[in-house]
Amino acid sequence: MQFIDLKAQYRALKTEINANIQSVLDSAQFIGGVYVKELEAQLAAFTGRKHCITCANGTDALQLAFMAAGVGEGDAVFCPDMTFISSTEPAKMFGAASVFCEILPDTYCLDPRSLERQIQAVLAEGRLTPKAVVAVDILGNPCDYDAIAPICGKYGLTLIEDAAQSFGAVYKGKRACAFGHIATTSFFPAKPLGCYGDGGAVFTDDDDLDKLFRSLCVHGKGPGGKYDNIRVGMNSRLDNLQAAVLLPKLKALRDYELDARQTAAGRYSAAFAGKLVTPFVAEGCVSAWAQYALLAKDTAQRDKIVAHLTEKGVPNMIYYPKPQHTLPVFRDDPSYGEVFLNANDYCARTFSLPMHPYLTEAEQAEVIQAVLEGANL
Ligand SMILES: *Cc1c(COP(=O)(O)O)cnc(C)c1O
């Protein structure tokens, strides 16, 4: 059994993926090309965004977003405590501070009230300038954008949706990547929409930002092309081979993979209801189920379950073992010494089970049995 079964997906899509890869090889068009163009158009249409600009990976997508937001020395970037390092790492490279916020106890996403408190604390201290908010759709579950967007508006902050884990998710009728001034995603192989290497994208409805991103991705190119450099940029592009792989995968995600993820998550939740804390998806939302995470009653029970799963050959992971604000890299940032009870509690009890669209009922039965045995339930 695989934690995320990329081989099963390849078997299902082999004919289309192989044909696309072969056609890239025949065309020898590796950087840019027809598949990149077609993919950007389809990603924009699927997410309901005016513009999609692909790039080299999800971390670069966030870096591009911070560059567009003008994040620099002395700025504060706000972010939930439960995420992967990429959410604010690129902002720190520009000399900004990461200010972490508490997570909600049910969705594990950014707590809007904690966000506002942290913004006010930074303003009261007067040392840093609040600049941007990174709202992370953690585990595939979308944030409460109706609560977060007005706070960003009130304080004049750029809202960035980090949708690396939530591609395909829905919040009140709109797809993930449709929120904030800028949204970013990742096509790392294990993400809900993954390529066969690294890849990422930024999304926006703003025509000027679209032009800026296309310049930033190619060494700050100007109207005269890539030798007419008008700003400092990056070399961050998705290659044609990756786009060729992503197109059939996007079709599969749309046609049946998202549904298959819902079915698998539903089976787990039915089996664990009342026994362990099952994932909560808010009314009007659909998770992309990047991960299926349960909470045990305490760390001791979690560790027993995880040990039993490993002994039985059932793959498992902990996303994530530590809250961001406690990581040594953030030792000089304002939230380093703070305590976020929900984030602490989540880290102490969480564990994730195999989750992907090709998971069979028999495999799930095996996982469920091993979890319940490990938990002594
Ligand atoms: C994976 C991930 C990223 C970074 O994506 P890469 O393509 O690996 O650079 C950013 N944010 C979150 C929340 C992620 O899970």
Side-chain angles (χ1 to χ4, degrees):
M1 194 186 317
Q2 300 291 314
F3 190 71
I4 294 173
D5 199 340
L6 295 175
K7 288 183 189 164
Q9 187 195 43
Y10 178 58
R11 282 195 297 275
L13 305 176
K14 189 170 186 167
T15 314
E16 294 131 286
I17 290 177
N18 283 9
N20 280 9
I21 289 177
Q22 189 59 54
S23 110
V24 173
L25 298 180
D26 290 337
S27 76
Q29 177 77 63
F30 298 115
I31 302 293
V34 289
Y35 290 117
V36 173
K37 239 180 143 185
E38 175 61 23
L39 179 71
E40 289 183 348
Q42 288 197 20
L43 290 170
F46 179 72
T47 58
R49 275 292 202 186
K50 198 161 170 203
H51 303 288
C52 168
I53 305 95
T54 52
C55 63
N57 57 70
T59 309
D60 277 7
L62 282 149
Q63 179 166 336
L64 288 161
F66 293 130
M67 289 167 96
V71 170
E73 201 74 43
D75 289 336
V77 171
F78 300 85
C79 181
D81 208 14
M82 197 36 51
T83 185
F84 180 60
I85 185 74
S86 295
S87 294
T88 68
E89 186 186 25
K92 284 197 71 71
M93 304 245 260
F94 298 123
S98 300
V99 180
F100 293 100
C101 307
E102 179 61 291
I103 59 168
L104 291 167
D106 51 8
T107 61
Y108 319 132
C109 287
L110 177 62
D111 176 348
R113 287 191 303 184
S114 172
L115 169 64
E116 184 150 22
R117 277 198 303 273
Q118 295 295 62
I119 295 169
Q120 287 176 349
V122 165
L123 288 171
E125 207 210 3
R127 193 171 57 85
L128 299 166
T129 309
K131 196 74 176 205
V133 173
V134 184
V136 184
D137 301 333
I138 198 72
L139 309 171
N141 207 2
C143 293
D144 187 357
Y145 290 101
D146 283 352
I148 294 167
I151 298 171
C152 295
K154 182 172 164 187
Y155 296 94
L157 310 182
T158 301
L159 174 57
I160 300 164
E161 177 190 10
D162 181 351
Q165 302 183 3
S166 61
F167 191 87
V170 177
Y171 175 82
K172 300 188 181 173
K174 286 165 98 178
R175 291 278 181 197
C177 299
F179 300 93
H181 303 97
I182 302 164
T184 64
T185 198
S186 162
F187 305 124
F188 181 79
K191 309 282 179 178
L193 180 63
C195 58
Y196 288 169
D198 278 308
V202 290
F203 297 83
T204 184
D205 295 325
D206 185 315
D207 296 345
D208 292 334
L209 281 182
D210 174 56
K211 286 198 198 80
L212 177 60
F213 285 133
R214 292 190 187 281
S215 164
L216 288 172
C217 284
V218 186
H219 307 285
K221 71 174 180 189
K226 69 174 173 179
Y227 305 117
D228 174 33
N229 313 88
I230 57 172
R231 57 172 65 85
V232 174
M234 301 164 70
N235 173 22
S236 186
R237 298 175 293 229
L238 185 78
D239 37 82
N240 208 24
L241 272 172
Q242 298 305 339
V245 168
L246 281 165
L247 278 163
K249 287 202 181 204
L250 174 60
K251 185 176 186 314
L253 176 140
R254 203 167 40 206
D255 289 352
Y256 64 88
E257 285 189 355
L258 282 171
D259 287 343
R261 285 176 184 273
Q262 303 310 317
T263 305
R267 279 198 206 112
Y268 276 150
S269 287
F272 299 124
K275 299 187 168 98
L276 295 155
V277 179
T278 54
F280 171 79
V281 181
E283 185 74 35
C285 294
V286 179
S287 176
W289 300 108
Q291 305 299 337
Y292 185 90
L294 290 164
L295 300 191
K297 73 171 189 288
D298 51 28
T299 304
Q301 188 192 41
R302 188 267 307 273
D303 292 349
K304 266 174 53 191
I305 296 170
V306 163
H308 190 70
L309 291 175
T310 304
E311 188 191 310
K312 293 277 170 184
V314 174
N316 58 83
M317 302 290 268
I318 292 177
Y319 295 112
Y320 292 93
K322 284 183 188 164
Q324 289 283 300
H325 83 278
T326 64
L327 297 175
V329 61
F330 299 119
R331 63 176 79 75
D332 296 327
D333 292 332
S335 44
Y336 189 64
E338 291 192 55
V339 176
F340 300 112
L341 292 175
N342 294 341
N344 282 349
D345 182 60
Y346 171 82
C347 290
R349 297 159 64 200
T350 190
F351 63 101
S352 291
L353 301 179
M355 170 52 86
H356 58 82
Y358 303 87
L359 201 56
T360 65
E361 221 172 326
E363 285 173 321
Q364 282 197 278
E366 199 184 312
V367 177
I368 291 162
Q369 192 190 338
V371 170
L372 295 177
E373 278 170 13
N376 275 326
L377 289 164

